[in-house]
Amino acid sequence: MNVDKFREDVRVFAASTAADTPDTGLLMVFNTCLRQLMDSHAPLVTRQVTDRPSAPWMSEDIKDHKRLVRKWERLWRTSGLTVHRQIYRQQLDDIKALHTSAKQEYYTSRLAECKDTKALFSVTDELFAKKKATALPKLIPPSELPETFSNFFDQKISDIRKGLDSSKTQMSFAAFSGTPLTRFSPVSEKFVFELISKCAPKSCTLDPIPTSLMKTCLDFLVPVVTRILNLSLQSGSVPAQFKEAVITPLLKKPGLDTECLKNYRPISNLPFLTKQLEKCVLAQLQEHLLRNDLLDVHQSAYKKNHSTETALLYVTDKLLTSADNKEVSVLALLDLSAAFDTIDHDVLLKRLQFTFGIADKAFQWFVSYLSERFQRVQIGQKESSPVPLKHGVPQGSVLGPVLFTLYTQDLSDVISRHGCEHHKYADDTQIEDSAPPSDFPKVVKNTERCIESVKDWMIDNKLKLNDSKTEVMLSGSRHALNQIDCTSLTIGDTQIVSQTAVKDLGVYLDSALTMQKHISFVCKCAFFELRKISSVRSFLTLQATVQLVSSLILSRLDYCNSLLAGLPTEELDRLQRVQNSAARLILQKSKKDHVTPLLTTLHWLPMKYRIEYKLALLGYRCFEKSLPPYLSHSLSIYEPSRSLRSSSEKLLRIPKTRTKTFGERTFRYQIPTVWNSLPSSIRDSSSLSSFKTQLKTYLFRKAFA
């Protein structure tokens, strides 16, 4: 289509038709006119084509050269002359070089275009010739799949709710004290322009035009879009067109039985403008929660400066500290069934109103947002009939995950009443309690009572705890674990046997806290990716290879690497071998070549110093007050008892520990140790970017001195 002509028609529409339209019909006119413009400039045409695609890097020059190669091959086979064979071989070498050059140019440009991780993984799948077959049941006729999935998802929630609706408990809500959020402020055109400009060009079948095309016309459409969003924010009403969702069934994990419908998760795809409206609401909601200090300290999901790594640092610190005190810990990882889909709208609205101070027009907006929602399953060109969404929040929405964390916030009080340590990341809840081996049976009983209370609370709040998928692990020193007889927990009618290792937020934790299983898993995955990259290394430039290795290998090595601080050198050496292999692959060196010059050339810090880099950043964030409270409360600034030269320096107090194996691996010991070892000029850096630059230079010189 001619984009310039389309833009001109959009400009005319935005300047005339939309300006004269009353507020009540603005969104309808907006969608209708854009669809009509799209149909006139790019009418839908059905064609029958033969699926015989050529390689994307194939050019006319390569095709001409292939014809020339075949000509010389026929001539040589006819004449049998040596000179003809030599020319034929030379032509083969030439076309091979052309293929390699074309592939390098194509994939280098494709990788350079990748602006996010998802796009990069898509290109790498294409690069490795990985066919992404759609995981769908094959025994059900394709025309019946949408309706079958729609009925299954709806019936699944109904069945779960049947077992939960029997609860007759009178709900109670914590009282809000503070300044309520009574209305949402209108947003400016500048805010909307920046908001949409930063969005990925993802589209939904409910959108009038593709998002990428809308962004090209954004300068004309921003006034109309801003008006649509502000009408919803100020009226406290969400348009019906914004409350429709298209469901895509997604297999929960690769390798699961594709014929079993319970192995699929419903993912909502919402209209593009719906997500922009939710982002406007979310920004003001989060500001209200922060202003009134309403966020749960022990919830790390969807919060600034919080991550899975900070959550795991907190959990492992508790386990290591208990082991250092000669105690045995029990760690329970709770699993919920269809957590986002069973939320009760009435309970959620009351919690927003009474606990979080959402009132008047703002409260009306959330009532409108949750009511009269519809969803339908779409597979290919087939759609199911619309089904009302009576419970839950849409998976794939902007507000849904945050509303879930607010819905489950009272769960922290339930766990705290039993004296158990805990932490939450979205719907993943970790509960920990510890005691000396002689008192451990009491800990087991207390943990069982705690989980039973959690289960009762979830039933009252229409959530279902999946007993069979809840995992339990006992941790501590081997000597302390050998004194324990009880190796299981009883939850309801289910007995959960303790495991030697559990996977928590992507990291394997083992009972002896050695991290050996996690390191083995990381090495296995990294070497698998390295073998794939090596198979196409000849088609990649140096820059493209560095980009691939950084995204697929170094990201794995760096994920939660602060948990590995204090481990024996032989364990870190296993990860170092992965990094060494990656450096040799990029620079195309053999195993016999010394790796230190290669790491220096790539400007890569060795694994030991990458961990120190991460710990030093956490130390800097402690002084910046951007560290999560559950971590910063365990760190204290060093204040000498008398006046010393060190009094004016930014130092952290190093706590006393009993053992090197456990106590010296806690973050409360490792972060101060690394931070205090830095030169004062680095610790006094004026900004985070300056600190990172000086820190890497310092560690680089230290590593390769």
Side-chain angles (χ1 to χ4, degrees):
M1 64 181 292
N2 189 320
V3 178
D4 292 333
K5 290 183 178 180
F6 182 81
R7 276 174 48 85
E8 178 61 24
D9 286 350
V10 169
R11 185 190 66 78
V12 174
F13 153 71
S16 58
T17 309
D20 300 333
T21 305
D23 293 347
T24 53
L26 181 59
L27 181 57
M28 181 74 72
V29 171
F30 178 83
N31 287 336
T32 302
C33 290
L34 287 185
R35 285 195 179 96
Q36 290 175 351
L37 289 176
M38 190 68 190
D39 290 339
S40 63
H41 285 268
L44 185 63
V45 178
T46 303
R47 293 178 180 172
Q48 185 174 357
V49 297
T50 303
D51 187 15
R52 199 179 297 157
S54 59
W57 57 81
M58 186 64 67
S59 63
E60 289 300 322
D61 189 24
I62 295 177
K63 292 179 181 179
D64 292 340
H65 210 94
K66 286 181 71 175
R67 286 190 284 269
L68 186 61
V69 169
R70 288 194 291 269
K71 173 185 173 181
W72 282 107
E73 182 183 10
R74 288 193 297 269
L75 185 58
W76 165 57
R77 294 190 183 281
T78 301
S79 66
L81 296 177
T82 302
V83 65
H84 290 163
R85 181 179 180 277
Q86 291 175 344
I87 296 174
Y88 166 61
R89 298 290 298 180
Q90 181 61 45
Q91 294 296 330
L92 282 179
D93 293 340
D94 292 345
I95 197 171
K96 183 178 179 181
L98 279 175
H99 265 291
T100 302
S101 176
K103 284 185 178 182
Q104 283 183 346
E105 183 179 349
Y106 172 75
Y107 283 114
T108 300
S109 62
R110 287 293 307 277
L111 290 170
E113 293 171 358
C114 297
K115 296 182 180 180
D116 53 31
T117 307
K118 184 177 180 180
L120 178 63
F121 288 165
S122 178
V123 174
T124 55
D125 287 343
E126 180 184 339
L127 181 62
F128 300 139
K130 182 179 179 181
K131 295 182 180 179
K132 298 185 70 174
T134 305
L136 291 171
K138 298 179 180 178
L139 300 180
I140 303 174
S143 59
E144 300 177 9
L145 273 177
E147 204 67 42
T148 302
F149 269 112
S150 180
N151 294 335
F152 172 77
F153 291 143
D154 189 50
Q155 188 61 43
K156 176 183 176 181
I157 303 304
S158 298
D159 292 342
I160 293 176
R161 293 279 303 196
K162 282 181 182 178
L164 300 174
D165 287 337
S166 59
S167 173
K168 303 294 183 181
T169 305
Q170 183 69 31
M171 297 291 295
S172 61
F173 303 95
F176 170 77
S177 60
T179 306
L181 177 63
T182 56
R183 56 176 46 86
F184 294 118
S185 303
V187 293
S188 65
E189 293 183 8
K190 180 182 178 182
F191 177 84
V192 174
F193 185 88
E194 293 176 352
L195 185 69
I196 297 179
S197 299
K198 295 176 182 178
C199 291
K202 298 178 182 179
S203 297
C204 173
T205 55
L206 300 173
D207 292 327
I209 61 174
T211 302
S212 57
L213 195 57
M214 177 180 284
K215 294 178 76 171
T216 63
C217 309
L218 194 55
D219 46 346
F220 304 135
L221 292 176
V222 158
V224 185
V225 172
T226 304
R227 185 178 161 198
I228 291 172
L229 299 181
N230 284 335
L231 283 173
S232 174
L233 293 173
Q234 294 179 300
S235 66
S237 175
V238 180
Q241 296 93 326
F242 283 0
K243 294 191 284 186
E244 299 179 24
V246 175
I247 300 296
T248 302
L250 183 67
L251 198 65
K252 294 179 180 179
K253 292 180 181 179
L256 294 177
D257 183 9
T258 57
E259 301 301 326
C260 183
L261 298 184
K262 69 178 182 179
N263 290 334
Y264 291 85
R265 178 182 288 111
I267 302 300
S268 298
N269 195 2
L270 303 172
F272 178 73
L273 289 187
T274 304
K275 294 184 178 181
Q276 309 318 306
L277 176 61
E278 291 187 31
K279 289 178 182 178
C280 296
V281 171
L282 179 61
Q284 299 187 43
L285 175 63
Q286 288 181 327
E287 182 183 353
H288 166 74
L289 296 173
L290 288 171
R291 185 172 58 248
N292 291 278
D293 194 22
L294 296 172
L295 293 174
D296 185 4
V297 175
H298 293 286
Q299 173 65 265
S300 290
Y302 320 114
K303 292 165 67 175
K304 187 179 180 181
N305 298 322
H306 293 62
S307 65
T308 54
E309 184 161 13
T310 59
L312 286 169
L313 270 175
Y314 177 81
V315 172
T316 54
D317 181 80
K318 296 297 180 184
L319 299 177
L320 290 168
T321 302
S322 299
D324 191 52
N325 294 330
K326 297 183 179 181
E327 296 178 339
V328 178
S329 301
V330 55
L331 175 66
L333 307 180
L334 307 186
D335 182 83
L336 300 181
S337 296
F340 284 67
D341 300 324
T342 61
I343 287 178
D344 188 275
H345 290 172
D346 291 336
V347 175
L348 174 59
L349 289 171
K350 289 178 180 178
R351 191 155 279 138
L352 289 175
Q353 184 179 23
F354 297 122
T355 304
F356 298 103
I358 311 298
D360 297 339
K361 288 288 185 181
F363 180 72
Q364 292 177 21
W365 190 94
F366 280 106
V367 173
S368 177
Y369 173 76
L370 294 172
S371 62
E372 298 179 353
R373 300 191 70 93
F374 290 88
Q375 63 183 27
R376 60 178 181 266
V377 176
Q378 182 179 32
I379 300 176
Q381 300 300 319
K382 302 292 183 180
E383 290 184 351
S384 67
S385 54
V387 175
L389 188 67
K390 300 177 183 178
H391 317 288
V393 291
Q395 291 195 40
S397 64
V398 175
L399 278 173
V402 177
L403 291 178
F404 177 84
T405 62
L406 299 181
Y407 187 81
T408 58
Q409 183 152 310
D410 289 351
L411 190 58
S412 293
D413 296 333
V414 176
I415 300 173
S416 298
R417 282 198 291 268
H418 293 270
C420 295
E421 299 288 347
H422 71 284
H423 202 81
K424 298 181 291 183
Y425 194 92
D427 59 336
D428 291 315
T429 303
Q430 301 97 356
I431 297 177
E432 187 267 340
D433 200 3
S434 58
S438 57
D439 296 333
F440 193 70
K442 297 180 181 178
V443 169
V444 172
K445 292 298 182 184
N446 184 54
T447 305
E448 290 176 344
R449 286 193 296 269
C450 178
I451 296 177
E452 283 295 335
S453 298
V454 168
K455 188 175 181 179
D456 293 339
W457 182 91
M458 288 185 174
I459 291 174
D460 293 339
N461 287 270
K462 313 308 177 189
L463 298 175
K464 183 181 179 181
L465 179 64
N466 194 334
D467 298 344
S468 60
K469 290 188 178 180
T470 295
E471 295 182 305
V472 172
M473 182 187 74
L474 306 184
S475 70
S477 66
R478 289 186 173 88
H479 175 71
L481 288 173
N482 290 335
Q483 302 177 49
I484 300 300
D485 295 328
C486 178
T487 58
S488 64
L489 265 70
T490 302
I491 302 176
D493 298 329
T494 306
Q495 189 175 35
I496 303 176
V497 179
S498 172
Q499 302 182 28
T500 56
V502 293
K503 191 174 185 180
D504 187 13
L505 300 178
V507 173
Y508 282 99
L509 303 177
D510 56 274
S511 57
L513 303 174
T514 62
M515 303 299 291
Q516 289 179 354
K517 184 170 182 178
H518 176 68
I519 292 175
S520 298
F521 176 74
V522 171
C523 292
K524 176 184 176 182
C525 294
F527 277 124
F528 177 71
E529 296 293 345
L530 277 176
R531 283 193 293 271
K532 291 198 298 184
I533 297 174
S534 66
S535 66
V536 294
R537 176 63 182 90
S538 59
F539 305 127
L540 299 175
T541 62
L542 176 64
Q543 181 182 0
T545 310
V546 170
Q547 185 178 359
L548 274 181
V549 169
S550 298
S551 300
L552 301 178
I553 310 299
L554 296 187
S555 61
R556 293 181 184 275
L557 298 179
D558 290 339
Y559 177 66
C560 293
N561 61 351
S562 59
L563 304 180
L564 310 179
L567 285 177
T569 305
E570 56 266 24
E571 292 298 331
L572 297 182
D573 284 347
R574 296 167 62 193
L575 297 174
Q576 187 60 52
R577 284 193 286 271
V578 175
Q579 190 185 36
N580 294 347
S581 299
R584 292 188 175 102
L585 173 63
I586 291 174
L587 300 175
Q588 296 180 301
K589 300 295 183 180
S590 68
K591 293 182 179 180
K592 296 180 180 179
D593 291 312
H594 192 49
V595 76
T596 300
L598 308 184
L599 297 177
T600 306
T601 301
L602 294 171
H603 210 68
W604 283 0
L605 288 173
M607 287 308 304
K608 173 186 174 182
Y609 297 97
R610 296 178 86 89
I611 295 173
E612 288 190 21
Y613 181 87
K614 181 75 70 66
L615 294 172
L617 281 180
L618 293 173
Y620 185 85
R621 287 176 57 191
C622 178
F623 284 93
E624 254 195 345
K625 301 188 184 304
S626 62
L627 205 62
Y630 54 78
L631 295 185
S632 60
H633 289 167
S634 299
L635 301 174
S636 57
I637 298 176
Y638 173 70
E639 297 178 355
S641 57
R642 55 193 179 89
S643 179
L644 299 173
R645 282 182 298 175
S646 59
S647 302
S648 59
E649 295 188 15
K650 297 168 63 175
L651 298 174
L652 292 171
R653 184 176 299 279
I654 301 176
K656 294 182 179 180
T657 60
R658 291 186 63 259
T659 63
K660 184 176 181 180
T661 309
F662 299 110
E664 292 187 9
R665 283 182 50 206
T666 59
F667 81 84
R668 65 185 72 195
Y669 179 89
Q670 285 291 331
I671 291 178
T673 301
V674 172
W675 174 260
N676 293 350
S677 67
L678 298 177
S680 58
S681 59
I682 298 179
R683 295 197 304 268
D684 294 333
S685 298
S686 57
S687 65
L688 181 60
S689 59
S690 173
F691 175 76
K692 287 181 177 180
T693 302
Q694 295 183 63
L695 176 62
K696 184 169 182 180
T697 302
Y698 168 75
L699 292 177
F700 195 80
R701 290 173 178 170
K702 183 179 177 181
F704 300 109

